[in-house]
C-alpha cells in the first residue's frame, strides 16, 4: 500500500520537476531520483525496519529540491512550502509533515543534522562525492554554478570545490564505510588538479615575464644595430 502511494506521489513530483529551469544541470530530476534511491539504501543499511519511516524519508527526498522551481537561494524553505501544500492530498499527519520539513531543511549545507534520519538524507544528497561518477556529476554542478554566477570563474570553482571536499564528512556509518575511501581519492585528485593548473599558470606567467625582460635587455642592442645598418 505504501509503495503504491509513493509511486503516485513520485509521478506527481516528477511531472512538476519537468518545469525546472533547463540550466539546472545538476539539480535535475535525475539528482532527485538518485537521492530517493540512496536515502532508502542508507536507511536500510543503518537498520531502519519501519517501512513508514522509510516512506517518509523517500517523500522528503522527492521534495527536497522542488523549491528550485521558484528560486535558487532558499529553495529548501520553498520545498517545504510546496510539500506542505501537496500534503493536503496525502495520508500524512501534521507530525509527519513537520518531520519531512525538517528532513528537507537538513539538506541545507549550513544546517547541522539533528538526528539519525536527518543524517541519512544529508548523506544521500551528497552520496555522489564518494562514487566513481563523481567527476561527471561534479562537472554538471560546476556548469550550473557558472551559469547561475554562484562562482565567477573556473579558478573560483576549483578553490571552493577543494575547500568543500576538505571539510565534508559523511554522518552515517554505512556512508562512511561505502563512500569515504573513494571520496578521499577524489579529494586528492581534485587537489592535484588544482596544483597542476596553478603550476601551469605560474609557468606561463614566469615565461612571459622572462621573455619580456629578455626583450627589454636586447632593445638597446637592436637599436644600435639598426642605427649602424642605416648609417
Amino acid at each position: 500500500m505504501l509503495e503504491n502511494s509513493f509511486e503516485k506521489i513520485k509521478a506527481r513530483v516528477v511531472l512538476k520537476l519537468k518545469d525546472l529551469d533547463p540550466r539546472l544541470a545538476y539539480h535535475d530530476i535525475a539528482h532527485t531520483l538518485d537521492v530517493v534511491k540512496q536515502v532508502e539504501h542508507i536507511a536500510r543499511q543503518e537498520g531502519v525496519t519501519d517501512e513508514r519511516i522509510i516512506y517518509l524519508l523517500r517523500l522528503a527526498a522527492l521534495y527536497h529540491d522542488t523549491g528550485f522551481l521558484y528560486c535558487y537561494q532558499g529553495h529548501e524553505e520553498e520545498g517545504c512550502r510546496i510539500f506542505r501544500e501537496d500534503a493536503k492530498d496525502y495520508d500524512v499527519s501534521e507530525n509527519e509533515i513537520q518531520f519531512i520539513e525538517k528532513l528537507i531543511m537538513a539538506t541545507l549545507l549550513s544546517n547541522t543534522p539533528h538526528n539519525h534520519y536527518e543524517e541519512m538524507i544529508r548523506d544521500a544528497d551528497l552520496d555522489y562525492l564518494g562514487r566513481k561518477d563523481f567527476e561527471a556529476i561534479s562537472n554538471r554542478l560546476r556548469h550550473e554554478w557558472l551559469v547561475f554566477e554562484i562562482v565567477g570563474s573556473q579558478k573560483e570553482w576549483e578553490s571552493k570545490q577543494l575547500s568543500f571536499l576538505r571539510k565534508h564528512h559523511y554522518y552515517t556509518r554505512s556512508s562512511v564505510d561505502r563512500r569515504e575511501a573513494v571520496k578521499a581519492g577524489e579529494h586528492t585528485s581534485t587537489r592535484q588538479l588544482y596544483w597542476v593548473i596553478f603550476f601551469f599558470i605560474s609557468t606561463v606567467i614566469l615565461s612571459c615575464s622572462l621573455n619580456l625582460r629578455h626583450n627589454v635587455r636586447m632593445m638597446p642592442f637592436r637599436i644600435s644595430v639598426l642605427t649602424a645598418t642605416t648609417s
Side-chain angles (χ1 to χ4, degrees):
M1 181 177 176
L2 283 178
E3 188 59 29
N4 289 338
S5 175
F6 178 80
E7 288 300 322
K8 290 178 182 178
I9 296 171
K10 183 173 78 170
R12 176 177 180 170
V13 174
V14 167
L15 186 62
K16 285 177 184 285
L17 294 178
K18 288 183 178 180
D19 290 331
L20 283 169
D21 190 321
R23 296 176 298 168
L24 290 166
Y26 171 81
H27 292 101
D28 57 6
I29 294 173
H31 168 70
T32 289
L33 296 181
D34 182 59
V35 177
V36 171
K37 175 184 176 181
Q38 299 305 331
V39 79
E40 179 178 5
H41 180 85
I42 292 170
R44 295 193 186 283
Q45 289 294 308
E46 291 294 302
V48 178
T49 57
D50 187 331
E51 292 299 323
R52 185 73 184 181
I53 292 294
I54 292 176
Y55 171 73
L56 297 176
L57 284 165
R58 295 169 78 200
L59 283 185
L62 267 181
Y63 276 88
H64 86 283
D65 277 346
T66 53
F68 277 103
L69 288 162
Y70 300 98
C71 61
Y72 204 107
Q73 301 297 334
H75 69 270
E76 295 88 358
E77 292 89 345
E78 190 64 20
C80 291
R81 183 195 66 77
I82 294 169
F83 173 72
R84 178 169 282 275
E85 182 66 26
D86 286 359
K88 296 174 184 177
D89 300 328
Y90 306 154
D91 182 22
V92 289
S93 68
E94 175 60 27
N95 285 340
E96 289 175 333
I97 290 173
Q98 292 180 20
F99 176 70
I100 288 175
E101 287 175 332
K102 290 176 181 178
L103 290 173
I104 292 173
M105 291 308 300
T107 64
L108 178 60
L109 292 180
S110 60
N111 288 347
T112 300
H114 293 102
N115 57 53
H116 200 189
Y117 302 121
E118 292 180 14
E119 291 176 345
M120 291 176 196
I121 196 167
R122 179 68 158 264
D123 283 353
D125 194 24
L126 296 172
D127 183 75
Y128 82 97
L129 293 177
R131 297 196 320 231
K132 295 298 184 181
D133 56 355
F134 164 80
E135 185 176 354
I137 295 175
S138 178
N139 281 336
R140 294 203 291 271
L141 182 60
R142 174 184 59 81
H143 176 75
E144 181 177 303
W145 276 22
L146 287 167
V147 168
F148 284 91
E149 299 182 344
I150 307 299
V151 293
S153 66
Q154 175 72 17
K155 183 177 179 180
E156 184 181 359
W157 157 258
E158 289 160 0
S159 177
K160 285 183 178 294
Q161 180 80 326
L162 183 60
S163 176
F164 177 70
L165 285 171
R166 186 184 294 121
K167 294 175 183 176
H168 172 266
H169 65 89
Y170 287 110
Y171 290 90
T172 61
R173 173 50 53 190
S174 57
S175 290
V176 170
D177 291 344
R178 275 204 312 158
R179 303 302 191 200
E180 196 62 52
V182 176
K183 193 200 79 174
E186 296 296 350
H187 176 185
T188 301
S189 298
T190 301
R191 181 173 55 191
Q192 288 172 343
L193 175 62
Y194 179 82
W195 284 112
V196 165
I197 293 172
F198 176 79
F199 178 75
F200 174 77
I201 293 173
S202 300
T203 301
V204 170
I205 293 172
L206 178 60
S207 177
C208 291
S209 176
L210 291 175
N211 286 337
L212 179 61
R213 291 178 185 177
H214 174 73
N215 290 336
V216 169
R217 287 200 303 269
M218 290 297 292
M219 191 174 295
F221 173 74
R222 289 170 181 165
I223 292 175
S224 64
V225 169
L226 179 61
T227 303
T229 303
T230 56
S231 297

